[in-house]
């Protein structure tokens, strides 16, 4: 461990002012004699300030040459499914003798192994530990950039085995960077540049890797493209890409590739649920659950909570988020808190949801605006809900996230229904069906068609709790039976989706109006019952 500068100064002065030999003094101080010799040298060169530094990194004498290391790296690149023992045998045939530990150390240095399990996420740079070689290389490159020596900085970064710091490459032109550094740079820029532009750049980089038969890096680039397709609402293209990436990855051994597998399965789930391929979606969800138990990092568990929300598993979602929030530090809490606020909103705990959102820095995030709109609806603040929904749609449009049109337009339809403007509400529901179908968001289409009483309902959709609730409430609306409404209410209460029930009754008010006419309890908050949709005298 590096000693504080005060201890170094005291050690050097003690040696220089005494008569003991360097070895004896080092033994007395509990440090190696070479360490004391180095401190004395720095002190004589630069005085006390010279002791405030660390020894320059030098490669171990027994480390392989860069050419041999790259040969070992290329084996992993060309066959991402390769095990350590298989790699050892392949190298033996090439007359390269290296132990399994040696292969592991090289893979770890170049970012193919040695992951920090507590930091596993869908972004490789997050969970690879930074070596001293990498850390010192980045520090020197940063110093070059401050001096305006961009080419020198780029050359130094290109020579590193791995560079997890994408920010340092933000100001360096792509033409000066190797494909590996450009991939790390683009990983850092995800969500920071328009998604359409990002997809074009990452797709070109993926093709560049595949032409060189660098399949592992090609898969990493492909995963970024897949995530962009998810945000852009293109589930069919997303599924085609996932199939291609899984083929390259292979499925015989999944240990080292577990983070990649989790991300592929999670994205496959989202694409399938949007296309209403319920069985395939549930299968992917089970795979994700199994992987998240083995590699229970906060990021994976947070992703699991998000996946639960797609099928209306809000009870499980909230429990998981409470667990994850205890595991993360302050910096990693914001996105989880937004999801938690959404879960609390769907539980009908609106005050808690809004209190959580008050502490969020990113006030303009579309999800933050939509969750506020949901809360405002249930609290009877209809104009506020409209304003939030419109702002959310505008922000989503700026970021090129077409999929958010479903959420924003649904909130506006609910707001108009609350004001008893039924025609406007129905037009808003109808207007976007064609676009949603084109985007492959079939789940949103089915929900709208249930509310409107149109279309054939696909088989298996009742496994999605939110759609099942809409079916139960629509049945109650058609029959106006108290027992049917109670069944829908009990279902929502059991699975903690009363918040969704509160919003759905604005669009399907008939069962509530029937109960009010008979003087029966609806179980709804007063703020809702005071809205024009339920008080026709207004």
């Amino acid at each position: 461990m590096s000693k504080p500068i005060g201890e170094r100064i005291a050690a050097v002065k003690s040696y220089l002012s005494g008569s003991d030999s360097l070895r004896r003094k080092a033994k007395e101080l509990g440090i190696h004699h070479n360490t004391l010799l180095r401190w004395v040298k720095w002190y004589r060169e630069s005085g006390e300030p010279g002791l405030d530094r660390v020894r320059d990194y030098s490669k171990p004498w027994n480390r392989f040459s860069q050419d041999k290391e790259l040969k070992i790296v290329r084996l992993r690149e060309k066959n991402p499914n390769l095990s350590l023992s298989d790699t050892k045998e392949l190298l033996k045939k090439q007359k390269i003798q290296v132990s399994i530990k040696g292969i592991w150390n090289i893979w770890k240095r170049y970012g193919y192994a040695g992951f920090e399990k507590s930091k596993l996420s869908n972004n490789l740079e997050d969970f690879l530990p930074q070596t001293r070689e990498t850390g010192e290389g980045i520090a020197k490159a940063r110093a070059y950039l401050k001096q305006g020596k961009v080419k020198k900085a780029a050359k130094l970064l290109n020579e590193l085995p791995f560079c997890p710091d994408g920010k340092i490459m933000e100001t360096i032109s792509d033409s000066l960077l190797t494909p590996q550094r450009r991939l790390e740079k683009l990983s850092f820029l995800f969500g920071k540049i328009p998604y359409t532009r990002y997809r074009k750049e990452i797709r070109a980089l993926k093709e560049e890797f595949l032409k060189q038969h660098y399949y592992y890096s090609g898969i990493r680039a492909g995963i970024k493209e897949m995530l962009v397709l998810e945000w852009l609402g293109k589930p069919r293209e997303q599924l085609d890409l996932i199939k291609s990436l899984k083929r390259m990855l292979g499925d015989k051994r999944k240990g080292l590739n577990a983070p990649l597998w989790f991300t592929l399965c999670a994205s496959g789930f989202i694409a399938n649920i949007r296309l209403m391929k319920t069985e395939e979606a549930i299968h992917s969800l089970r795979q994700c659950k199994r992987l998240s138990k083995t590699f229970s990092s906060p990021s994976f568990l947070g992703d699991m909570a998000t996946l639960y929300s797609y099928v209306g598993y809000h009870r499980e979602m909230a429990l998981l988020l409470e667990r994850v929030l205890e595991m993360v530090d302050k910096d990693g809490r914001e996105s989880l808190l937004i999801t938690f606020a959404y879960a609390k909103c769907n539980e009908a705990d609106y005050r808690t949801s809004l209190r959580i959102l008050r502490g969020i820095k990113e006030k303009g995030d579309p999800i933050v605006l939509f969750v506020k709109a949901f809360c405002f609806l249930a609290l009877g603040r209809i104009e506020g809900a409209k304003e939030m929904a419109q702002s959310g749609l505008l922000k989503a449009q700026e970021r090129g996230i077409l999929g958010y049109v479903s959420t924003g337009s649904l909130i506006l339809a609910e707001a108009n229904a609350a004001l008893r403007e039924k025609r406007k509400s129905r037009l808003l529901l109808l207007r976007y069906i064609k676009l949603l179908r084109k985007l492959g968001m079939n789940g949103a289409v089915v929900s709208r068609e249930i509310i409107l009483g149109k279309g054939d309902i696909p088989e298996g959709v009742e496994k999605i709790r939110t759609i099942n609730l809409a079916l139960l409430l629509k049945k109650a609306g058609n029959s106006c039976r108290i027992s049917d409404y109670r069944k829908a209410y009990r279902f929502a209460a059991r699975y903690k989706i009363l918040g969704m029930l509160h919003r759905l009754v604005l669009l399907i008010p008939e069962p509530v109006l029937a109960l009010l006419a008979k003087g029966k309890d609806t179980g709804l908050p007063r703020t809702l019952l005071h809205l024009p949709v339920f008080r026709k005298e207004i």
Side-chain angles (χ1 to χ4, degrees), residues 85-149:
S85 54
D86 288 345
T87 306
K88 184 182 175 182
E89 289 304 311
L90 285 170
L91 289 167
K92 200 173 179 182
K93 287 175 184 176
Q94 296 176 33
K95 297 184 179 179
I96 299 173
Q97 294 295 331
V98 56
S99 67
I100 282 178
K101 188 181 177 183
I103 297 166
W104 173 266
N105 286 336
I106 291 166
W107 282 1
K108 183 179 177 180
R109 195 155 47 247
Y110 281 82
Y112 300 92
F115 309 140
E116 291 184 50
K117 290 185 181 179
S118 62
K119 295 182 179 178
L120 289 177
S121 73
N122 58 27
N123 186 35
L124 188 74
E125 288 73 19
D126 291 344
F127 53 84
L128 271 168
Q130 186 169 288
T131 63
R132 186 177 168 190
E133 178 184 3
T134 300
E136 289 192 14
I138 291 169
K140 284 181 181 177
R142 196 172 279 118
Y144 284 141
L145 286 173
K146 280 183 182 176
Q147 296 165 24
K149 298 175 181 177

Side-chain angles (χ1 to χ4, degrees), residues 102-266:
I103 297 166
W104 173 266
N105 286 336
I106 291 166
W107 282 1
K108 183 179 177 180
R109 195 155 47 247
Y110 281 82
Y112 300 92
F115 309 140
E116 291 184 50
K117 290 185 181 179
S118 62
K119 295 182 179 178
L120 289 177
S121 73
N122 58 27
N123 186 35
L124 188 74
E125 288 73 19
D126 291 344
F127 53 84
L128 271 168
Q130 186 169 288
T131 63
R132 186 177 168 190
E133 178 184 3
T134 300
E136 289 192 14
I138 291 169
K140 284 181 181 177
R142 196 172 279 118
Y144 284 141
L145 286 173
K146 280 183 182 176
Q147 296 165 24
K149 298 175 181 177
V150 179
K151 286 185 179 178
K152 207 166 183 179
K155 185 177 182 293
L156 181 57
L157 291 171
N158 287 334
E159 289 168 355
L160 293 177
F162 182 72
C163 182
D165 187 351
K167 187 171 175 62
I168 194 172
M169 292 177 282
E170 196 176 5
T171 54
I172 300 174
S173 167
D174 284 357
S175 61
L176 296 174
L177 297 171
T178 61
Q180 290 289 351
R181 296 298 89 93
R182 277 155 47 208
L183 176 57
E184 290 147 5
K185 178 182 176 180
L186 276 171
S187 294
F188 171 75
L189 292 173
F190 188 87
K192 295 182 173 72
I193 60 177
Y195 286 117
T196 46
R197 177 185 146 200
Y198 189 95
R199 187 197 176 188
K200 187 179 177 182
E201 290 184 24
I202 200 72
R203 194 177 188 177
L205 187 57
K206 179 191 74 178
E207 295 304 322
E208 192 176 333
F209 281 125
L210 296 182
K211 278 179 187 174
Q212 297 172 14
H213 304 290
Y214 269 50
Y215 297 114
Y216 186 87
S217 293
I219 290 165
R220 282 182 55 206
I223 281 175
K224 292 296 176 188
E225 184 188 354
M226 174 194 76
L227 294 172
V228 168
L229 291 170
E230 191 178 296
W231 280 99
L232 291 173
K234 295 179 182 288
R236 290 188 184 87
E237 290 180 51
Q238 196 179 331
L239 282 176
D240 288 341
L241 181 55
I242 290 168
K243 204 176 288 182
S244 164
L245 296 175
K246 281 185 176 179
R247 235 182 352 257
M248 281 191 272
L249 193 56
D251 60 356
K252 288 180 184 175
R253 303 176 185 90
K254 297 180 185 178
L256 281 175
N257 296 328
L260 305 179
W261 272 101
F262 181 89
T263 306
L264 289 170
C265 290

Side-chain angles (χ1 to χ4, degrees), residues 410 414 426 429 446-454 470 474 504 507-508:
L410 187 62
E414 289 162 347
R426 286 181 69 83
L429 290 172
V446 169
S447 297
R448 286 164 189 258
E449 288 181 339
I450 290 168
I451 293 162
L452 294 164
K454 296 181 174 216
K474 189 64 180 177
L504 275 172
L507 297 165
I508 310 171

